Amino acid sequence: MAPLSVSVVGGGIIGLSIAWQCARRGHAVTVHDPDPGRGASHVAAGMLAPVGESYFGERELTALLLECARRWPGYAAELAAASGHELGHRTEGTLQVGLTTDDLAELRRLWTYQRELGAEVVALDGDRLREREPLLNPRARGVLVESDHQVDPRRVVAALRELVPVRREAVHRLSDLDADVVVLAAGCASAALGGLPVRPVQGAVLRLRGQAAPRHVIRGYADGRAVYLVPRRDGEVLVGATVEERADGHATAGGVRDLLRAATDLVPELAEHALVEVSVGQRPGTADNGPIVGELAPGVLVATGHYRHGVLAAPYTALAVADLVDGGSLPPLWEPFTPQRLTAGGLG
């Protein structure tokens, strides 16, 4: 088909990935964002965890996320080659662990469900667990999920920004954009711009730095407190994340305390690390926790509402939206997540 002009509203990992995919297909693409890459993508830990993020009653979403995960190795290799950036893509797998009897009872229910979905969840006794992760609390018990990986979203965004043009400007109305196709990928701002029921779900993530770091991503419970730990190769460890129905941009003292307590209970060595950053972001949530991807109006597409899954879903979202730009249709896995199921109003 003839090249089209495409305006992407939103310069996070979703919008930038869509822009890059469309540009690779020959379209003239511009991304519009007053502060590109500084929203939820800047705060996200980057877990590629379709198994760890599978929850009861979300079978259609889990099936979609499993396919999203399958797209990541190829996407990471292509993006790294095109940009020359190292993306922090790591495939050691994720440990899901708990400390107390109640923690493990909660996790066993989740593991049973994950296995029913066909996920490979490998039980480890205490000795095997500490062979893989010597820094873990000796009381920890859990499993290995080899298919749950990680990437560094800040590195991914930096790579994408070198490959697509970005205008550092705010868009107040989609109708102001003069393009053949407009793609709304503005996270929480999609509510006002597209009349969509997307709400901000605030989360705080801590960044620690010290001499020793875990080898794996660690997810689990410490005396009932949920936490995840994501190690980077440069010695940084991300600890997250709070989940709060608010949008004031401030981390609470209690939230930070609970994250640090759970993290140091699971990995005591982290108590000696420096707390170097507390970052707060707004996840774009929907009523059913599913994303919103598809045609919003003639010439207007949408890709938002990814909630906890924006980093994981970025490559497959980009392919789906680029197919729509080219005049194609959504793959079947995306059909339960079109905007028609949630649309609450008209365009901005």
Side-chain angles (χ1 to χ4, degrees), residues 55-60 113:
Y55 295 96
F56 303 101
E58 296 183 353
R59 287 182 177 270
E60 291 178 327
Y113 175 68

Side-chain angles (χ1 to χ4, degrees), residues 119-273:
E120 187 173 355
V121 179
V122 181
L124 301 174
D125 61 24
D127 290 340
R128 292 173 64 203
L129 188 61
R130 262 161 297 288
E131 285 177 7
R132 284 193 166 267
E133 196 54 77
L135 295 181
L136 267 175
N137 187 315
R139 294 191 293 124
R141 297 292 183 271
V143 302
L144 171 68
V145 182
E146 291 185 338
S147 59
D148 280 4
H149 302 155
Q150 66 151 302
V151 73
D152 187 336
R154 294 184 180 182
R155 291 176 178 266
V156 175
V157 166
L160 289 166
R161 287 193 59 189
E162 292 197 1
L163 300 173
V164 296
V166 179
R167 290 185 183 174
R168 298 179 67 97
E169 60 183 16
V171 172
H172 302 289
R173 292 183 302 179
L174 300 182
S175 57
D176 291 339
L177 297 171
D178 183 17
D180 296 317
V181 179
V182 173
V183 181
L184 177 58
C188 295
S190 303
L193 287 168
L196 294 164
V198 178
R199 74 188 194 283
V201 183
Q202 186 162 287
V205 173
L206 317 180
R207 292 173 186 262
L208 311 181
R209 187 173 295 277
Q211 294 299 313
R215 300 172 180 174
H216 303 75
V217 173
I218 299 172
R219 302 175 64 110
Y221 294 93
D223 198 17
R225 295 184 299 272
V227 71
Y228 61 71
L229 311 175
V230 182
R232 302 285 195 233
R233 287 198 174 96
D234 62 1
E236 189 173 73
V237 180
L238 278 68
V239 179
T242 60
V243 179
E244 301 171 280
E245 296 285 346
R246 51 191 288 177
D248 59 16
H250 298 298
T252 65
V256 172
R257 175 204 60 205
D258 288 347
L259 290 176
L260 288 173
R261 182 179 296 168
T264 55
D265 281 352
L266 287 180
V267 180
E269 179 74 22
L270 294 179
E272 302 301 320
H273 284 45

Side-chain angles (χ1 to χ4, degrees), residues 255-347:
V256 172
R257 175 204 60 205
D258 288 347
L259 290 176
L260 288 173
R261 182 179 296 168
T264 55
D265 281 352
L266 287 180
V267 180
E269 179 74 22
L270 294 179
E272 302 301 320
H273 284 45
L275 175 59
V276 297
E277 182 181 317
V278 179
S279 53
V280 178
Q282 314 296 335
R283 310 172 184 91
T286 63
D288 60 4
N289 294 333
I292 308 173
V293 174
E295 185 180 60
L296 193 58
V300 180
L301 306 176
V302 62
T304 191
H306 289 79
Y307 190 30
R308 303 182 303 264
H309 315 299
V311 176
L312 172 60
Y316 197 31
T317 300
L319 287 171
V321 173
D323 285 348
L324 292 176
V325 171
D326 286 343
S329 56
L330 282 174
L333 285 173
W334 285 105
E335 290 176 359
F337 304 105
T338 62
Q340 284 68 39
R341 80 188 195 281
L342 295 171
T343 300
L347 292 179

